[in-house]
Amino acid sequence: MAATGQVAGGLTAYDRRVLTAVNAGAASLSFVGSGFIVLCYALFKELRKFSFKLVFYLALSDMLCSFFSMVGDPSRGFFCYSHGYSTHFFCVASFLWTTTIAFTLHRTVVKHKTDVEDLEAMFHLYVWGTSLVVTVVRSIGNNHSHLGTWCWSQSGRTGKALHFVTFYMPLWGAILYNGFTYFQVIRMLNNARRMAGSISDHAYQSDARAETKALNRWGYYPLILIGSWAFGTINRIHDFIEPDHKIFWLSVLDVGTASLMGLFNSIAYGLNSSVRRAIHERLDLFWPDRLQRWFPNSSRLRNQHEESELVSLKIQDQH
């Protein structure tokens, strides 16, 4: 991952081999998880709604980031460059797509706007444009060197400062924005639920409870970015202060959690009830009756209340 470019110097050859294995294993899991979401979007037409389209772009960014992280080869110049530039670009794009999802949710639920689909072009310009700018800025003064098994390492203070400014500052800005946005959305829906409790409209009460239950989990989504990059942030700060003293266990946590971001995102954002329902509907076409007795939950899932990626938005119905 883009955050794992400064682990060497003070680490033994065995330590670097361990970090390489951790990175490859974790990135492979993220590649499979995010690739599964991309495949579902391509196969199931009922998932091709605007809300899930944003999840698709997120999964695509995660998949490409994981791919380039796995194929980076510091022994060959071209692959070393592609590893450094590409992982940084797509990793930044990944957490920026989470901000577009949060923005869409907030604009629809809190602002009661129905024009979010018209903003798709702006979302692409914002995500891909910002990712390109910070990647180019980080390349300034970079000698494309590598340490151990990771490309694009920065040995000087200026390079490390650029890395922090072009990656970790936007990252924690996205975390703060997502957290504030989800807090506002959940607070508004909780207020709606309390209002529903004071009236006799049982249908409205049922809708408010269903939406609140589904959206409460969104409050945990900023924790995905925090969990994925907290150790990397600590490791970068420590490396800036003590460049000649590497902490192996911190580097392992840095590499492992950062490389698992794609897997975490695919589970939290992508593997919702709409995706599970689409999969079970396809399986039911080929699922033997005797096997359904072994897995009774598969038929029950079809009848559950639909929980879309942005449950209460119902964007398509409002146009």
Side-chain angles (χ1 to χ4, degrees), residues 36-75:
F36 176 77
I37 301 303
V38 171
L39 182 64
C40 287
Y41 180 85
L43 293 178
F44 305 143
K45 293 183 179 180
E46 61 267 33
L47 296 179
R48 298 174 191 173
K49 302 176 182 179
F50 178 74
S51 54
F52 198 80
K53 186 184 292 186
L54 298 180
V55 177
F56 163 73
Y57 293 136
L58 169 63
L60 182 64
S61 299
D62 283 330
M63 184 180 73
L64 292 173
C65 182
S66 301
F67 172 76
F68 283 106
S69 181
M70 290 186 297
V71 302
D73 183 1
S75 65

Side-chain angles (χ1 to χ4, degrees), residues 21-301:
V22 170
N23 177 72
S28 298
L29 292 175
S30 290
F31 180 82
V32 171
S34 54
F36 176 77
I37 301 303
V38 171
L39 182 64
C40 287
Y41 180 85
L43 293 178
F44 305 143
K45 293 183 179 180
E46 61 267 33
L47 296 179
R48 298 174 191 173
K49 302 176 182 179
F50 178 74
S51 54
F52 198 80
K53 186 184 292 186
L54 298 180
V55 177
F56 163 73
Y57 293 136
L58 169 63
L60 182 64
S61 299
D62 283 330
M63 184 180 73
L64 292 173
C65 182
S66 301
F67 172 76
F68 283 106
S69 181
M70 290 186 297
V71 302
D73 183 1
S75 65
R76 301 180 63 181
F78 173 78
F79 289 106
C80 185
Y81 301 158
S82 68
H83 173 275
Y85 283 106
S86 302
T87 52
H88 191 270
F89 177 87
F90 287 111
C91 203
V92 171
S94 173
F95 66 70
L96 290 181
W97 278 118
T98 68
T99 64
T100 67
I101 295 173
F103 173 85
T104 301
L105 183 67
H106 182 272
R107 186 170 180 82
T108 308
V109 175
V110 178
K111 299 294 185 180
H112 304 293
K113 302 292 186 179
T114 60
D115 60 347
V116 286
E117 289 192 48
D118 299 330
L119 301 176
E120 182 177 356
M122 292 299 297
F123 288 165
H124 283 286
L125 180 62
Y126 155 68
V127 172
W128 304 123
T130 303
S131 300
L132 179 62
V133 168
V134 296
T135 302
V136 171
V137 170
R138 189 188 170 189
S139 69
I140 298 174
N142 192 345
N143 60 3
H144 306 289
S145 63
H146 63 271
L147 294 174
T149 55
W150 284 272
C151 299
W152 208 343
S153 60
Q154 300 282 7
S155 56
R157 283 184 172 268
T158 301
K160 293 176 181 178
L162 273 177
H163 185 190
F164 204 90
V165 169
T166 59
F167 186 85
Y168 287 96
M169 286 183 63
L171 167 69
W172 285 98
I175 292 173
L176 292 175
Y177 174 79
N178 290 350
F180 177 75
T181 300
Y182 292 134
F183 171 77
Q184 285 192 318
V185 171
I186 293 173
R187 183 179 62 176
M188 179 175 180
L189 289 177
N190 284 333
N191 292 336
R193 182 174 59 179
R194 285 194 294 268
M195 292 176 58
S198 63
I199 62 179
S200 58
D201 190 341
H202 296 291
Y204 183 83
Q205 293 180 32
S206 177
D207 289 343
R209 284 194 298 268
E211 291 176 351
T212 303
K213 179 181 178 181
L215 281 167
N216 273 339
R217 66 176 184 149
W218 285 74
Y220 297 99
Y221 285 4
L223 297 179
I224 295 175
L225 290 178
I226 295 175
S228 297
W229 297 107
F231 294 111
T233 304
I234 296 171
N235 202 20
R236 296 289 81 74
I237 294 174
H238 175 269
D239 183 62
F240 188 83
I241 298 174
E242 297 285 346
D244 298 324
H245 177 61
K246 304 293 183 182
I247 303 177
F248 175 67
W249 63 266
L250 182 59
S251 297
V252 171
L253 292 174
D254 170 11
V255 171
T257 55
S259 298
L260 286 173
M261 182 182 67
L263 178 64
F264 296 152
N265 283 335
S266 64
I267 294 174
Y269 287 91
L271 198 59
N272 52 49
S273 64
S274 297
V275 175
R276 295 195 300 269
R277 184 182 304 104
I279 294 173
H280 280 289
E281 287 176 353
R282 299 312 189 280
L283 290 177
D284 283 345
L285 298 176
F286 310 99
W287 203 256
D289 292 338
R290 62 178 181 275
L291 291 182
Q292 289 193 14
R293 294 193 296 268
W294 299 351
F295 301 97
N297 290 333
S298 63
S299 60
R300 189 183 311 132
L301 182 63

